[in-house]
Amino acid sequence: MASNTLSFQALVRLLRYAKGYRRRILAATTCSIINRLFDIAPEILIGVAIDVVVNREDSFIALLGFTMPQEQILMLAVLTFLIWAGESLFEYFYEILWCNLAQRLQADLRQDTYEHVQRLDISFFESQSSGRLVAIMNDDVNQLERFLNGGANSLIQTGVTVVAVGIVFFVLSPLIALLAFTPIPLIIWGAFFFQRKASPLYSNVREKVGDLSSRLSNNLSGIATIKSFTAEVREAERLKAASEAYVEANHQAIRISSAFIPVIRMAILVGFLATFTVGGMLALEDSLNVGAYGVLVFLTQRLLWPLTGLAEVIDLYERAMASTRRILDLLEVPVMVKDKSGQPLSQPVRGRVSFEGVSFHYESSGMGVDGVSLHVPAGNTLALVGATGSGKSTLIKLLLRFYDPQQGQVCIDGQPIREVSLCSLRQAIGLVSQEVYLFEGSIRDNITYGRPGACETDIAEAARMAEAWDFIQTLPEGLDTLVGERGVRLSGGQRQRLSLARALLTDPPILVLDEATSAVDNETEAAIQRSLQRIGYGRTVIIIAHRLSTIVHADEIIVIDQGRVAEQGTHTELLEAEGRYATQWRVQTGMAKAVDVPLPC
């Protein structure tokens, strides 16, 4: 019963989501109903034709004014043509309407889900695999589309058949109607029994699809690592295990659906034999019109045989509802970092940044920052150094509002960033991350990602400032060179420089460099250092660095230790203080003393 309730709840949630499609759903449903009524009519006409042949002038049709049997046959021929034409016409209509509805709904549902996922907090993505999300937005949405393409129409037409044929049966012979309908409760019970058994199985199937997609996505992204450790066989075995788990989950569901069909067929046989035998006896006794007997025999098949497809329809339904639950659950994940879209940052943005008593801790690890207060005057360069996990990147995530602090606030030009739109906030900040991500496409596409349509001169200038222009010019296709998926055709240093050029092209008043020189060689690092003065001119720069040589000219250097400010000052002041910074400087420059303890990196 719980599984039936879950499926029904999923259907209600889907209908609530699809309220904007009600007219389309109503039109498609109406065409399905009319088509099925036309589909039932030929069996009735066959019975009437038998009545004409047997009773001639005393037939049912004669009561309508057509006394000659030839006239009656011709009239039946005309009716048959009109009914078949109407059935074909409305079949065309419902096919078009249901397919278009399925296509439109799946496209909108995928788009809405993707747009919602884009608004979700970074913490959500840190706890989810990309493969699972792709499976929901692709496989699950497609599963729902398959049900709407055929399953929904079949369910509606099966219901219409039972009601319409039932009315005809009870009009012609209540006794035979009772006998013919006797198997239906068993069929319905079997359908619900199957649904109850199948629902958790199909939920498991959808989870296994997500696991399989995640495994494929991770392995393809990490193919270089797999090859370097000669782990191809091991990874193939792991993928095989995930694939076999998916196959086994499907097998369990298939076993249930396969057992349902033979039971239904035997129930149908009982109903058909009852109509055939009892109806025949009544016709022989002249208690039942021969034409009516023919109608009942033909309609019994029309009533019961379509129910054999009920298992397949419910199979589609259960798969679709399992997918629907996953899709709508994803759509209902709350956005914790709310966008104050009505109030932008005051223009022009000068770039004065302040962290005022900021505290934040991650739920999973408890790490973060405690009571950090920092003030960066507009146009100054601030460097953050410290051990891995000390809280440097956390401060950047708070500045970009990937998270909101649990205490304190972050301000830009005196405005608390909680009170301004995310769009205006993030457009004011250019981020060059340690983990460079390039999109599949050309170098030009990637540099202009934050400023589509930028002119060639601006692109070249940004590339020069990032020390990327020289290597771009050596490529055969220059800016139009394709970088491959995630930039695999370029070296790490080249990707890093393109990432820097991408940020510089937007000319942000605040530039954040998170280990921006981590993947470049010494020569490129020296070149970027030389250009930092130009890069920093007229804008605020915040640098996270492990290589202390890149930050010696920063206006202020902050040493973060276990989420707190441990030291701060200029490069010269920190060396004179003989603290952690000075110790690490000596380690990196080869002047460490025996008693020095390096700052962890």
PDB file of all heavy atoms in Angstrom, residues 38-72:
ATOM      1  N   PHE A  38     -14.926   5.094 -30.987  1.00  0.00           N
ATOM      2  CA  PHE A  38     -15.012   4.681 -32.391  1.00  0.00           C
ATOM      3  C   PHE A  38     -14.458   3.274 -32.575  1.00  0.00           C
ATOM      4  O   PHE A  38     -14.951   2.499 -33.391  1.00  0.00           O
ATOM      5  CB  PHE A  38     -14.236   5.656 -33.278  1.00  0.00           C
ATOM      6  CG  PHE A  38     -15.007   6.883 -33.683  1.00  0.00           C
ATOM      7  CD1 PHE A  38     -14.470   8.145 -33.510  1.00  0.00           C
ATOM      8  CD2 PHE A  38     -16.270   6.775 -34.245  1.00  0.00           C
ATOM      9  CE1 PHE A  38     -15.178   9.282 -33.891  1.00  0.00           C
ATOM     10  CE2 PHE A  38     -16.991   7.898 -34.624  1.00  0.00           C
ATOM     11  CZ  PHE A  38     -16.443   9.162 -34.440  1.00  0.00           C
ATOM     12  N   ASP A  39     -13.426   2.936 -31.813  1.00  0.00           N
ATOM     13  CA  ASP A  39     -12.771   1.635 -31.944  1.00  0.00           C
ATOM     14  C   ASP A  39     -13.701   0.494 -31.504  1.00  0.00           C
ATOM     15  O   ASP A  39     -13.634  -0.617 -32.041  1.00  0.00           O
ATOM     16  CB  ASP A  39     -11.493   1.634 -31.096  1.00  0.00           C
ATOM     17  CG  ASP A  39     -10.681   0.373 -31.301  1.00  0.00           C
ATOM     18  OD1 ASP A  39     -10.427   0.016 -32.466  1.00  0.00           O
ATOM     19  OD2 ASP A  39     -10.295  -0.253 -30.307  1.00  0.00           O
ATOM     20  N   ILE A  40     -14.536   0.769 -30.527  1.00  0.00           N
ATOM     21  CA  ILE A  40     -15.478  -0.247 -30.016  1.00  0.00           C
ATOM     22  C   ILE A  40     -16.653  -0.436 -30.974  1.00  0.00           C
ATOM     23  O   ILE A  40     -17.211  -1.537 -31.085  1.00  0.00           O
ATOM     24  CB  ILE A  40     -15.983   0.162 -28.624  1.00  0.00           C
ATOM     25  CG1 ILE A  40     -14.841   0.097 -27.613  1.00  0.00           C
ATOM     26  CG2 ILE A  40     -17.125  -0.725 -28.160  1.00  0.00           C
ATOM     27  CD1 ILE A  40     -15.182   0.716 -26.282  1.00  0.00           C
ATOM     28  N   ALA A  41     -17.031   0.612 -31.699  1.00  0.00           N
ATOM     29  CA  ALA A  41     -18.254   0.593 -32.521  1.00  0.00           C
ATOM     30  C   ALA A  41     -18.290  -0.513 -33.573  1.00  0.00           C
ATOM     31  O   ALA A  41     -19.356  -1.100 -33.805  1.00  0.00           O
ATOM     32  CB  ALA A  41     -18.448   1.959 -33.171  1.00  0.00           C
ATOM     33  N   PRO A  42     -17.199  -0.854 -34.296  1.00  0.00           N
ATOM     34  CA  PRO A  42     -17.296  -1.908 -35.325  1.00  0.00           C
ATOM     35  C   PRO A  42     -17.800  -3.239 -34.788  1.00  0.00           C
ATOM     36  O   PRO A  42     -18.523  -3.958 -35.494  1.00  0.00           O
ATOM     37  CB  PRO A  42     -15.855  -2.026 -35.837  1.00  0.00           C
ATOM     38  CG  PRO A  42     -15.286  -0.660 -35.641  1.00  0.00           C
ATOM     39  CD  PRO A  42     -15.888  -0.174 -34.351  1.00  0.00           C
ATOM     40  N   GLU A  43     -17.445  -3.627 -33.564  1.00  0.00           N
ATOM     41  CA  GLU A  43     -17.946  -4.873 -32.989  1.00  0.00           C
ATOM     42  C   GLU A  43     -19.468  -4.832 -32.834  1.00  0.00           C
ATOM     43  O   GLU A  43     -20.162  -5.825 -33.046  1.00  0.00           O
ATOM     44  CB  GLU A  43     -17.289  -5.129 -31.627  1.00  0.00           C
ATOM     45  CG  GLU A  43     -15.931  -5.802 -31.683  1.00  0.00           C
ATOM     46  CD  GLU A  43     -14.820  -4.855 -32.121  1.00  0.00           C
ATOM     47  OE1 GLU A  43     -15.098  -3.649 -32.245  1.00  0.00           O
ATOM     48  OE2 GLU A  43     -13.700  -5.326 -32.354  1.00  0.00           O
ATOM     49  N   ILE A  44     -19.963  -3.656 -32.464  1.00  0.00           N
ATOM     50  CA  ILE A  44     -21.421  -3.501 -32.338  1.00  0.00           C
ATOM     51  C   ILE A  44     -22.069  -3.604 -33.717  1.00  0.00           C
ATOM     52  O   ILE A  44     -23.120  -4.260 -33.891  1.00  0.00           O
ATOM     53  CB  ILE A  44     -21.762  -2.151 -31.675  1.00  0.00           C
ATOM     54  CG1 ILE A  44     -21.171  -2.099 -30.260  1.00  0.00           C
ATOM     55  CG2 ILE A  44     -23.260  -1.913 -31.646  1.00  0.00           C
ATOM     56  CD1 ILE A  44     -21.351  -0.768 -29.561  1.00  0.00           C
ATOM     57  N   LEU A  45     -21.449  -3.020 -34.730  1.00  0.00           N
ATOM     58  CA  LEU A  45     -21.996  -3.075 -36.087  1.00  0.00           C
ATOM     59  C   LEU A  45     -21.992  -4.500 -36.633  1.00  0.00           C
ATOM     60  O   LEU A  45     -22.892  -4.877 -37.404  1.00  0.00           O
ATOM     61  CB  LEU A  45     -21.189  -2.165 -37.011  1.00  0.00           C
ATOM     62  CG  LEU A  45     -21.316  -0.657 -36.749  1.00  0.00           C
ATOM     63  CD1 LEU A  45     -20.471   0.126 -37.740  1.00  0.00           C
ATOM     64  CD2 LEU A  45     -22.767  -0.206 -36.814  1.00  0.00           C
ATOM     65  N   ILE A  46     -20.987  -5.287 -36.241  1.00  0.00           N
ATOM     66  CA  ILE A  46     -20.979  -6.692 -36.681  1.00  0.00           C
ATOM     67  C   ILE A  46     -22.196  -7.427 -36.125  1.00  0.00           C
ATOM     68  O   ILE A  46     -22.870  -8.195 -36.826  1.00  0.00           O
ATOM     69  CB  ILE A  46     -19.679  -7.388 -36.237  1.00  0.00           C
ATOM     70  CG1 ILE A  46     -18.486  -6.808 -37.018  1.00  0.00           C
ATOM     71  CG2 ILE A  46     -19.766  -8.896 -36.454  1.00  0.00           C
ATOM     72  CD1 ILE A  46     -17.140  -7.306 -36.545  1.00  0.00           C
ATOM     73  N   GLY A  47     -22.488  -7.189 -34.851  1.00  0.00           N
ATOM     74  CA  GLY A  47     -23.669  -7.812 -34.256  1.00  0.00           C
ATOM     75  C   GLY A  47     -24.946  -7.357 -34.939  1.00  0.00           C
ATOM     76  O   GLY A  47     -25.869  -8.163 -35.177  1.00  0.00           O
ATOM     77  N   VAL A  48     -25.013  -6.065 -35.272  1.00  0.00           N
ATOM     78  CA  VAL A  48     -26.192  -5.541 -35.968  1.00  0.00           C
ATOM     79  C   VAL A  48     -26.308  -6.170 -37.351  1.00  0.00           C
ATOM     80  O   VAL A  48     -27.410  -6.497 -37.810  1.00  0.00           O
ATOM     81  CB  VAL A  48     -26.100  -4.000 -36.070  1.00  0.00           C
ATOM     82  CG1 VAL A  48     -27.244  -3.443 -36.914  1.00  0.00           C
ATOM     83  CG2 VAL A  48     -26.128  -3.375 -34.686  1.00  0.00           C
ATOM     84  N   ALA A  49     -25.188  -6.364 -38.040  1.00  0.00           N
ATOM     85  CA  ALA A  49     -25.210  -6.996 -39.359  1.00  0.00           C
ATOM     86  C   ALA A  49     -25.724  -8.430 -39.277  1.00  0.00           C
ATOM     87  O   ALA A  49     -26.485  -8.885 -40.148  1.00  0.00           O
ATOM     88  CB  ALA A  49     -23.814  -6.961 -39.970  1.00  0.00           C
ATOM     89  N   ILE A  50     -25.284  -9.148 -38.242  1.00  0.00           N
ATOM     90  CA  ILE A  50     -25.788 -10.516 -38.043  1.00  0.00           C
ATOM     91  C   ILE A  50     -27.305 -10.490 -37.828  1.00  0.00           C
ATOM     92  O   ILE A  50     -28.062 -11.308 -38.378  1.00  0.00           O
ATOM     93  CB  ILE A  50     -25.083 -11.186 -36.854  1.00  0.00           C
ATOM     94  CG1 ILE A  50     -23.594 -11.400 -37.172  1.00  0.00           C
ATOM     95  CG2 ILE A  50     -25.756 -12.508 -36.498  1.00  0.00           C
ATOM     96  CD1 ILE A  50     -22.783 -11.882 -35.993  1.00  0.00           C
ATOM     97  N   ASP A  51     -27.744  -9.515 -37.059  1.00  0.00           N
ATOM     98  CA  ASP A  51     -29.180  -9.361 -36.803  1.00  0.00           C
ATOM     99  C   ASP A  51     -29.935  -9.102 -38.107  1.00  0.00           C
ATOM    100  O   ASP A  51     -31.042  -9.639 -38.328  1.00  0.00           O
ATOM    101  CB  ASP A  51     -29.389  -8.213 -35.819  1.00  0.00           C
ATOM    102  CG  ASP A  51     -30.863  -8.004 -35.487  1.00  0.00           C
ATOM    103  OD1 ASP A  51     -31.547  -8.987 -35.154  1.00  0.00           O
ATOM    104  OD2 ASP A  51     -31.319  -6.842 -35.568  1.00  0.00           O
ATOM    105  N   VAL A  52     -29.353  -8.294 -39.006  1.00  0.00           N
ATOM    106  CA  VAL A  52     -29.983  -7.996 -40.295  1.00  0.00           C
ATOM    107  C   VAL A  52     -30.108  -9.267 -41.138  1.00  0.00           C
ATOM    108  O   VAL A  52     -31.157  -9.553 -41.734  1.00  0.00           O
ATOM    109  CB  VAL A  52     -29.184  -6.920 -41.061  1.00  0.00           C
ATOM    110  CG1 VAL A  52     -29.665  -6.814 -42.522  1.00  0.00           C
ATOM    111  CG2 VAL A  52     -29.304  -5.580 -40.377  1.00  0.00           C
ATOM    112  N   VAL A  53     -29.015 -10.035 -41.197  1.00  0.00           N
ATOM    113  CA  VAL A  53     -29.012 -11.251 -42.008  1.00  0.00           C
ATOM    114  C   VAL A  53     -30.016 -12.273 -41.479  1.00  0.00           C
ATOM    115  O   VAL A  53     -30.714 -12.956 -42.245  1.00  0.00           O
ATOM    116  CB  VAL A  53     -27.600 -11.853 -42.056  1.00  0.00           C
ATOM    117  CG1 VAL A  53     -27.605 -13.219 -42.735  1.00  0.00           C
ATOM    118  CG2 VAL A  53     -26.652 -10.912 -42.793  1.00  0.00           C
ATOM    119  N   VAL A  54     -30.120 -12.385 -40.157  1.00  0.00           N
ATOM    120  CA  VAL A  54     -31.003 -13.397 -39.556  1.00  0.00           C
ATOM    121  C   VAL A  54     -32.461 -12.950 -39.571  1.00  0.00           C
ATOM    122  O   VAL A  54     -33.373 -13.689 -39.953  1.00  0.00           O
ATOM    123  CB  VAL A  54     -30.545 -13.714 -38.115  1.00  0.00           C
ATOM    124  CG1 VAL A  54     -31.562 -14.628 -37.417  1.00  0.00           C
ATOM    125  CG2 VAL A  54     -29.176 -14.360 -38.130  1.00  0.00           C
ATOM    126  N   ASN A  55     -32.724 -11.723 -39.175  1.00  0.00           N
ATOM    127  CA  ASN A  55     -34.118 -11.277 -38.977  1.00  0.00           C
ATOM    128  C   ASN A  55     -34.656 -10.419 -40.124  1.00  0.00           C
ATOM    129  O   ASN A  55     -35.851 -10.113 -40.138  1.00  0.00           O
ATOM    130  CB  ASN A  55     -34.206 -10.493 -37.657  1.00  0.00           C
ATOM    131  CG  ASN A  55     -33.931 -11.367 -36.455  1.00  0.00           C
ATOM    132  OD1 ASN A  55     -34.436 -12.489 -36.352  1.00  0.00           O
ATOM    133  ND2 ASN A  55     -33.085 -10.875 -35.545  1.00  0.00           N
ATOM    134  N   ARG A  56     -33.802  -9.981 -41.024  1.00  0.00           N
ATOM    135  CA  ARG A  56     -34.196  -9.217 -42.208  1.00  0.00           C
ATOM    136  C   ARG A  56     -35.136  -8.049 -41.876  1.00  0.00           C
ATOM    137  O   ARG A  56     -34.725  -7.118 -41.185  1.00  0.00           O
ATOM    138  CB  ARG A  56     -34.815 -10.152 -43.253  1.00  0.00           C
ATOM    139  CG  ARG A  56     -33.826 -11.217 -43.751  1.00  0.00           C
ATOM    140  CD  ARG A  56     -34.442 -12.191 -44.709  1.00  0.00           C
ATOM    141  NE  ARG A  56     -33.468 -13.190 -45.126  1.00  0.00           N
ATOM    142  CZ  ARG A  56     -32.695 -13.074 -46.210  1.00  0.00           C
ATOM    143  NH1 ARG A  56     -32.818 -12.016 -46.981  1.00  0.00           N
ATOM    144  NH2 ARG A  56     -31.833 -14.024 -46.520  1.00  0.00           N
ATOM    145  N   GLU A  57     -36.428  -8.141 -42.346  1.00  0.00           N
ATOM    146  CA  GLU A  57     -37.353  -7.027 -42.137  1.00  0.00           C
ATOM    147  C   GLU A  57     -37.682  -6.798 -40.663  1.00  0.00           C
ATOM    148  O   GLU A  57     -38.227  -5.747 -40.297  1.00  0.00           O
ATOM    149  CB  GLU A  57     -38.658  -7.232 -42.925  1.00  0.00           C
ATOM    150  CG  GLU A  57     -38.533  -7.101 -44.427  1.00  0.00           C
ATOM    151  CD  GLU A  57     -38.011  -8.388 -45.070  1.00  0.00           C
ATOM    152  OE1 GLU A  57     -37.763  -9.362 -44.310  1.00  0.00           O
ATOM    153  OE2 GLU A  57     -37.829  -8.428 -46.301  1.00  0.00           O
ATOM    154  N   ASP A  58     -37.397  -7.779 -39.802  1.00  0.00           N
ATOM    155  CA  ASP A  58     -37.701  -7.639 -38.371  1.00  0.00           C
ATOM    156  C   ASP A  58     -36.462  -7.258 -37.551  1.00  0.00           C
ATOM    157  O   ASP A  58     -36.476  -7.332 -36.316  1.00  0.00           O
ATOM    158  CB  ASP A  58     -38.263  -8.966 -37.832  1.00  0.00           C
ATOM    159  CG  ASP A  58     -39.585  -9.329 -38.503  1.00  0.00           C
ATOM    160  OD1 ASP A  58     -40.348  -8.399 -38.816  1.00  0.00           O
ATOM    161  OD2 ASP A  58     -39.818 -10.537 -38.730  1.00  0.00           O
ATOM    162  N   SER A  59     -35.410  -6.855 -38.220  1.00  0.00           N
ATOM    163  CA  SER A  59     -34.162  -6.533 -37.522  1.00  0.00           C
ATOM    164  C   SER A  59     -34.295  -5.217 -36.760  1.00  0.00           C
ATOM    165  O   SER A  59     -35.247  -4.454 -36.952  1.00  0.00           O
ATOM    166  CB  SER A  59     -33.001  -6.439 -38.519  1.00  0.00           C
ATOM    167  OG  SER A  59     -33.169  -5.291 -39.335  1.00  0.00           O
ATOM    168  N   PHE A  60     -33.289  -4.970 -35.939  1.00  0.00           N
ATOM    169  CA  PHE A  60     -33.263  -3.735 -35.165  1.00  0.00           C
ATOM    170  C   PHE A  60     -33.205  -2.511 -36.082  1.00  0.00           C
ATOM    171  O   PHE A  60     -33.844  -1.492 -35.837  1.00  0.00           O
ATOM    172  CB  PHE A  60     -32.038  -3.756 -34.222  1.00  0.00           C
ATOM    173  CG  PHE A  60     -31.777  -2.449 -33.536  1.00  0.00           C
ATOM    174  CD1 PHE A  60     -32.562  -2.042 -32.471  1.00  0.00           C
ATOM    175  CD2 PHE A  60     -30.748  -1.617 -33.980  1.00  0.00           C
ATOM    176  CE1 PHE A  60     -32.328  -0.820 -31.857  1.00  0.00           C
ATOM    177  CE2 PHE A  60     -30.510  -0.399 -33.358  1.00  0.00           C
ATOM    178  CZ  PHE A  60     -31.295  -0.002 -32.295  1.00  0.00           C
ATOM    179  N   ILE A  61     -32.451  -2.608 -37.191  1.00  0.00           N
ATOM    180  CA  ILE A  61     -32.301  -1.491 -38.112  1.00  0.00           C
ATOM    181  C   ILE A  61     -33.635  -1.139 -38.758  1.00  0.00           C
ATOM    182  O   ILE A  61     -33.905   0.024 -39.081  1.00  0.00           O
ATOM    183  CB  ILE A  61     -31.256  -1.815 -39.203  1.00  0.00           C
ATOM    184  CG1 ILE A  61     -29.884  -1.977 -38.569  1.00  0.00           C
ATOM    185  CG2 ILE A  61     -31.207  -0.729 -40.275  1.00  0.00           C
ATOM    186  CD1 ILE A  61     -29.322  -0.717 -37.993  1.00  0.00           C
ATOM    187  N   ALA A  62     -34.475  -2.142 -38.955  1.00  0.00           N
ATOM    188  CA  ALA A  62     -35.786  -1.892 -39.586  1.00  0.00           C
ATOM    189  C   ALA A  62     -36.603  -0.911 -38.753  1.00  0.00           C
ATOM    190  O   ALA A  62     -37.441  -0.175 -39.295  1.00  0.00           O
ATOM    191  CB  ALA A  62     -36.546  -3.202 -39.771  1.00  0.00           C
ATOM    192  N   LEU A  63     -36.413  -0.903 -37.447  1.00  0.00           N
ATOM    193  CA  LEU A  63     -37.146   0.023 -36.574  1.00  0.00           C
ATOM    194  C   LEU A  63     -36.779   1.477 -36.872  1.00  0.00           C
ATOM    195  O   LEU A  63     -37.522   2.396 -36.509  1.00  0.00           O
ATOM    196  CB  LEU A  63     -36.859  -0.300 -35.107  1.00  0.00           C
ATOM    197  CG  LEU A  63     -37.269  -1.711 -34.630  1.00  0.00           C
ATOM    198  CD1 LEU A  63     -36.864  -1.914 -33.181  1.00  0.00           C
ATOM    199  CD2 LEU A  63     -38.782  -1.921 -34.806  1.00  0.00           C
ATOM    200  N   LEU A  64     -35.644   1.698 -37.540  1.00  0.00           N
ATOM    201  CA  LEU A  64     -35.199   3.054 -37.854  1.00  0.00           C
ATOM    202  C   LEU A  64     -35.722   3.533 -39.208  1.00  0.00           C
ATOM    203  O   LEU A  64     -35.385   4.631 -39.648  1.00  0.00           O
ATOM    204  CB  LEU A  64     -33.669   3.112 -37.846  1.00  0.00           C
ATOM    205  CG  LEU A  64     -32.987   2.702 -36.524  1.00  0.00           C
ATOM    206  CD1 LEU A  64     -31.480   2.756 -36.679  1.00  0.00           C
ATOM    207  CD2 LEU A  64     -33.436   3.611 -35.387  1.00  0.00           C
ATOM    208  N   GLY A  65     -36.536   2.680 -39.887  1.00  0.00           N
ATOM    209  CA  GLY A  65     -37.143   3.091 -41.158  1.00  0.00           C
ATOM    210  C   GLY A  65     -36.533   2.453 -42.381  1.00  0.00           C
ATOM    211  O   GLY A  65     -37.019   2.686 -43.496  1.00  0.00           O
ATOM    212  N   PHE A  66     -35.477   1.671 -42.206  1.00  0.00           N
ATOM    213  CA  PHE A  66     -34.850   0.981 -43.340  1.00  0.00           C
ATOM    214  C   PHE A  66     -35.401  -0.447 -43.387  1.00  0.00           C
ATOM    215  O   PHE A  66     -34.887  -1.350 -42.725  1.00  0.00           O
ATOM    216  CB  PHE A  66     -33.328   0.969 -43.195  1.00  0.00           C
ATOM    217  CG  PHE A  66     -32.713   2.340 -43.144  1.00  0.00           C
ATOM    218  CD1 PHE A  66     -32.511   2.985 -41.930  1.00  0.00           C
ATOM    219  CD2 PHE A  66     -32.370   2.999 -44.314  1.00  0.00           C
ATOM    220  CE1 PHE A  66     -31.950   4.246 -41.889  1.00  0.00           C
ATOM    221  CE2 PHE A  66     -31.800   4.266 -44.275  1.00  0.00           C
ATOM    222  CZ  PHE A  66     -31.600   4.901 -43.063  1.00  0.00           C
ATOM    223  N   THR A  67     -36.444  -0.639 -44.168  1.00  0.00           N
ATOM    224  CA  THR A  67     -37.176  -1.923 -44.141  1.00  0.00           C
ATOM    225  C   THR A  67     -36.510  -2.992 -44.989  1.00  0.00           C
ATOM    226  O   THR A  67     -36.577  -4.177 -44.667  1.00  0.00           O
ATOM    227  CB  THR A  67     -38.616  -1.716 -44.619  1.00  0.00           C
ATOM    228  OG1 THR A  67     -38.601  -1.110 -45.929  1.00  0.00           O
ATOM    229  CG2 THR A  67     -39.393  -0.814 -43.651  1.00  0.00           C
ATOM    230  N   MET A  68     -35.892  -2.585 -46.117  1.00  0.00           N
ATOM    231  CA  MET A  68     -35.264  -3.567 -46.997  1.00  0.00           C
ATOM    232  C   MET A  68     -33.893  -3.976 -46.442  1.00  0.00           C
ATOM    233  O   MET A  68     -33.075  -3.123 -46.087  1.00  0.00           O
ATOM    234  CB  MET A  68     -35.089  -2.976 -48.398  1.00  0.00           C
ATOM    235  CG  MET A  68     -36.411  -2.624 -49.075  1.00  0.00           C
ATOM    236  SD  MET A  68     -37.427  -4.097 -49.361  1.00  0.00           S
ATOM    237  CE  MET A  68     -36.420  -4.950 -50.568  1.00  0.00           C
ATOM    238  N   PRO A  69     -33.618  -5.296 -46.402  1.00  0.00           N
ATOM    239  CA  PRO A  69     -32.312  -5.749 -45.900  1.00  0.00           C
ATOM    240  C   PRO A  69     -31.142  -5.142 -46.669  1.00  0.00           C
ATOM    241  O   PRO A  69     -30.094  -4.841 -46.089  1.00  0.00           O
ATOM    242  CB  PRO A  69     -32.377  -7.266 -46.098  1.00  0.00           C
ATOM    243  CG  PRO A  69     -33.833  -7.586 -46.049  1.00  0.00           C
ATOM    244  CD  PRO A  69     -34.531  -6.413 -46.699  1.00  0.00           C
ATOM    245  N   GLN A  70     -31.314  -4.956 -48.017  1.00  0.00           N
ATOM    246  CA  GLN A  70     -30.228  -4.363 -48.796  1.00  0.00           C
ATOM    247  C   GLN A  70     -29.920  -2.939 -48.317  1.00  0.00           C
ATOM    248  O   GLN A  70     -28.752  -2.525 -48.248  1.00  0.00           O
ATOM    249  CB  GLN A  70     -30.612  -4.343 -50.289  1.00  0.00           C
ATOM    250  CG  GLN A  70     -30.678  -5.719 -50.940  1.00  0.00           C
ATOM    251  CD  GLN A  70     -32.002  -6.431 -50.658  1.00  0.00           C
ATOM    252  OE1 GLN A  70     -32.876  -5.899 -49.934  1.00  0.00           O
ATOM    253  NE2 GLN A  70     -32.154  -7.643 -51.202  1.00  0.00           N
ATOM    254  N   GLU A  71     -31.005  -2.172 -48.027  1.00  0.00           N
ATOM    255  CA  GLU A  71     -30.815  -0.815 -47.518  1.00  0.00           C
ATOM    256  C   GLU A  71     -30.078  -0.835 -46.166  1.00  0.00           C
ATOM    257  O   GLU A  71     -29.215   0.011 -45.882  1.00  0.00           O
ATOM    258  CB  GLU A  71     -32.163  -0.112 -47.351  1.00  0.00           C
ATOM    259  CG  GLU A  71     -32.887   0.196 -48.652  1.00  0.00           C
ATOM    260  CD  GLU A  71     -34.232   0.861 -48.400  1.00  0.00           C
ATOM    261  OE1 GLU A  71     -34.785   0.666 -47.277  1.00  0.00           O
ATOM    262  OE2 GLU A  71     -34.725   1.560 -49.288  1.00  0.00           O
ATOM    263  N   GLN A  72     -30.462  -1.815 -45.364  1.00  0.00           N
ATOM    264  CA  GLN A  72     -29.841  -1.919 -44.039  1.00  0.00           C
ATOM    265  C   GLN A  72     -28.347  -2.211 -44.155  1.00  0.00           C
ATOM    266  O   GLN A  72     -27.514  -1.612 -43.442  1.00  0.00           O
ATOM    267  CB  GLN A  72     -30.542  -3.033 -43.244  1.00  0.00           C
ATOM    268  CG  GLN A  72     -32.026  -2.758 -42.967  1.00  0.00           C
ATOM    269  CD  GLN A  72     -32.720  -3.946 -42.342  1.00  0.00           C
ATOM    270  OE1 GLN A  72     -32.085  -4.825 -41.766  1.00  0.00           O
ATOM    271  NE2 GLN A  72     -34.049  -3.977 -42.457  1.00  0.00           N
TER     272      GLN A  72
END
